[in-house]
Amino acid sequence: MTLKLITRTIMCRTLRWKEDVIQGSLPGSSNGIGRKMSQTASGSASIVAVALVGSTLLLAAAAGADTRRPVRSAPSAHAAGVLNVHDEGHLRFIHASGSVIIDEGSVSGTLPGSVRVRFLYDGEPQVSAQFTINGRGGSISAHATGRLSSLTSPSPSFSGHMTITGGSGRYAHVRGSGTLFGVYYRRSYGLTVQAIGKLPY
Amino acid sequence: MGTTRLPRLFLLSCAVAFLVTLTASLPVGADARQVAKIKARLTPEHLGAATTVSLGFQLPPRDGVSPAALRSMKLAYPPNLGLATSGLGLASCSPGELEALGVEGCPANSRMGSGSATVELVLKVETVTEHISLALFAAPSSDGYLHVLVYAYGVFPVYAQLLLSGVLMHGQMGITVPPIPSFPEAPDVVMTQMQLTLGGPLTYYARSAGKLVAYHPPGVGLPRRCPTGGFPFRATFVFLDGGHASARTAVPCPGGA
């Protein structure tokens, strides 16, 4: 019964997201970071950001659904196939341990929440990030790996694949994947992350 | 039966431990012709905080004969050391600009460290020693790895600038050493000592509210935990004559932690 309810919720929510994306009203869908990501996508590799965005989207999909929405929305959602969504977070440096940086911040978008990221950059082209987003209904954890570009710039960017690894509360059974984009600020050790998720429905 | 097996195992364990200890105390390159010594220092050494990493090596003469010219070296450091996240090298310096204009040709934010080296020119009548300065810069990268340039410059007895290129990969810095020519008809110059410091008193510039503001980059981040036996460092050298040598050391944990 719970599974059916969540499924129906996601379907309804994705329908609403699709409408929002078409109208250009979703946060981050046409902002400066999005443009920078697209410009630097070939060279940059900020993994953390991608993970945050993707997880936020998934979180929103799972948690923010309107359960009062009529069930008749589901058939048209099935017909649409895949929904593209964006979300964004700005993180500040908390502490570091060698090549590992811990950042925290807020995630804005469909489901507001706080996020804590463990960002690893040891000099290899691949960077990785583990993060947990805490929202009102529970938490979602994810892992992402990606490739960093423009290494010697003050704010190299990254992009990579993100996988949801678990959750709690309302999101205990959330699974999915997406793409994480981000910018790593080498002087302040802060991160800006953007998730672009494709949610099958 | 049980009373004889235990002493045998004990003796075997002692023998293995003795061999391991003996091997660890010897220079790794003892079987090669050339002997190498390295030193490493972390200043200050506070776990979880930024530090300055100093690495030095020495290739002493063997039976009064100077070592062969270096072809390359690899300086291995703890892979979880925060070199990549150090905030050093926020700009890059191109090899062309460095060769043409010297240190002044590079952006201040590309400077990553400094050092010194000793080179020898072996002539028939004497061996001439020269002390040269080193400057370390971040170089452009096209492969995703961090690249560095080591600019060596000396004025006497040989006025020359030399550019070494290196790359940080898998917890080690590989440096290629080109031949160092001296006088016509004379042998190449040989590097016998080198000391390189990452971080230190560097001044960077950042734009804030439309103005350039100077600041000092914090340096290389140390892990919050010190591994058993301290932070390990290792150096491997390959010489032009085909020989090789290596050495290792460890920086003890702070406070014996």
Side-chain angles (χ1 to χ4, degrees):
Chain A
M1 182 62 183
T2 305
L3 183 61
K4 287 179 65 177
L5 181 61
I6 292 175
T7 305
R8 193 179 68 187
T9 306
I10 292 175
M11 289 176 176
C12 296
R13 186 67 185 179
T14 51
L15 276 179
R16 291 172 58 192
W17 277 353
K18 185 177 182 183
E19 293 166 4
D20 291 342
V21 170
I22 291 172
Q23 294 166 8
S25 61
L26 268 183
S29 58
S30 61
N31 58 14
I33 290 177
R35 286 193 298 274
K36 177 167 184 174
M37 296 297 178
S38 61
Q39 289 165 359
T40 59
S42 60
S44 65
S46 295
I47 296 168
V48 177
V50 176
L52 287 176
V53 178
S55 59
T56 305
L57 291 173
L58 289 173
L59 180 63
D66 183 0
T67 56
R68 292 169 300 181
R69 208 167 171 89
V71 183
R72 63 176 176 272
S73 300
S76 57
H78 278 297
V82 174
L83 176 70
N84 296 320
V85 288
H86 288 191
D87 212 342
E88 186 177 328
H90 299 276
L91 317 178
R92 68 184 186 283
F93 173 68
I94 301 299
H95 65 78
S97 177
S99 53
V100 174
I101 290 173
I102 306 296
D103 276 18
E104 288 181 353
S106 59
V107 177
S108 61
T110 311
L111 181 73
S114 62
V115 62
R116 182 179 176 90
V117 177
R118 181 183 187 274
F119 181 70
L120 169 65
Y121 176 37
D122 58 6
E124 296 294 302
Q126 289 273 355
V127 294
S128 67
Q130 292 174 298
F131 63 90
T132 299
I133 297 176
N134 290 292
R136 276 173 44 184
S139 66
I140 289 182
S141 297
H143 177 265
T145 58
R147 195 173 173 86
L148 202 64
S149 71
S150 307
L151 303 181
T152 53
S153 81
S155 51
S157 56
F158 57 85
S159 64
H161 182 75
M162 171 191 68
T163 304
I164 306 298
T165 56
S168 66
R170 193 183 299 179
Y171 321 112
H173 303 289
V174 168
R175 291 291 183 274
S177 62
T179 304
L180 183 68
F181 295 90
V183 178
Y184 167 50
Y185 301 98
R186 297 180 62 203
R187 187 187 170 195
S188 66
Y189 307 116
L191 292 164
T192 295
V193 292
Q194 187 179 62
I196 298 177
K198 289 189 175 182
L199 301 178
Y201 58 92
Chain B
M1 189 66 179
T3 55
T4 56
R5 179 177 293 176
L6 186 60
R8 282 181 185 173
L9 285 174
F10 177 74
L11 288 173
L12 184 61
S13 302
C14 288
V16 170
F18 174 74
L19 286 173
V20 169
T21 307
L22 184 64
T23 306
S25 63
L26 287 173
V28 178
D31 58 332
R33 286 182 301 170
Q34 182 60 52
V35 172
K37 299 177 181 177
I38 65 166
K39 288 182 180 178
R41 195 172 65 233
L42 304 170
T43 312
E45 191 183 3
H46 300 309
L47 298 180
T51 189
T52 296
V53 181
S54 296
L55 272 172
F57 72 79
Q58 186 180 5
L59 302 171
R62 187 91 176 194
D63 300 327
V65 178
S66 293
L70 267 177
R71 173 184 291 171
S72 65
M73 58 183 133
K74 289 182 179 176
L75 308 174
Y77 53 85
N80 60 346
L81 212 58
L83 276 178
T85 53
S86 64
L88 297 173
L90 294 188
S92 63
C93 184
S94 74
E97 286 178 314
L98 194 50
E99 284 183 316
L101 303 171
V103 172
E104 301 300 321
C106 291
N109 289 6
S110 66
R111 185 80 177 254
M112 296 182 70
S114 58
S116 61
T118 301
V119 295
E120 289 182 358
L121 175 58
V122 182
L123 302 173
K124 287 182 179 176
V125 290
E126 64 173 337
T127 297
V128 180
T129 300
E130 181 173 355
H131 300 287
I132 59 178
S133 299
L134 305 177
L136 186 68
F137 295 92
S141 172
S142 59
D143 58 5
Y145 290 96
L146 292 168
H147 289 250
V148 296
L149 295 171
V150 181
Y151 183 67
Y153 48 103
V155 292
F156 183 83
V158 179
Y159 179 83
Q161 289 83 42
L162 182 68
L163 198 56
L164 315 180
S165 61
V167 58
L168 274 63
M169 191 180 289
H170 308 308
Q172 62 185 16
M173 182 190 296
I175 297 177
T176 303
V177 184
I180 312 173
S182 56
F183 307 111
E185 310 290 327
D188 286 348
V189 174
V190 175
M191 187 180 294
T192 57
Q193 286 187 55
M194 185 175 177
Q195 187 271 325
L196 205 55
T197 299
L198 273 165
L202 302 172
T203 301
Y204 278 23
Y205 297 91
R207 192 165 291 279
S208 176
K211 294 182 178 178
L212 276 182
V213 179
Y215 71 97
H216 301 295
V220 179
L222 272 182
R224 296 191 146 207
R225 291 182 181 176
C226 184
T228 305
F231 293 104
F233 291 86
R234 179 187 173 101
T236 305
F237 306 92
V238 177
F239 300 93
L240 277 177
D241 66 358
H244 60 87
S246 59
R248 59 190 170 201
T249 187
V251 177
C253 297

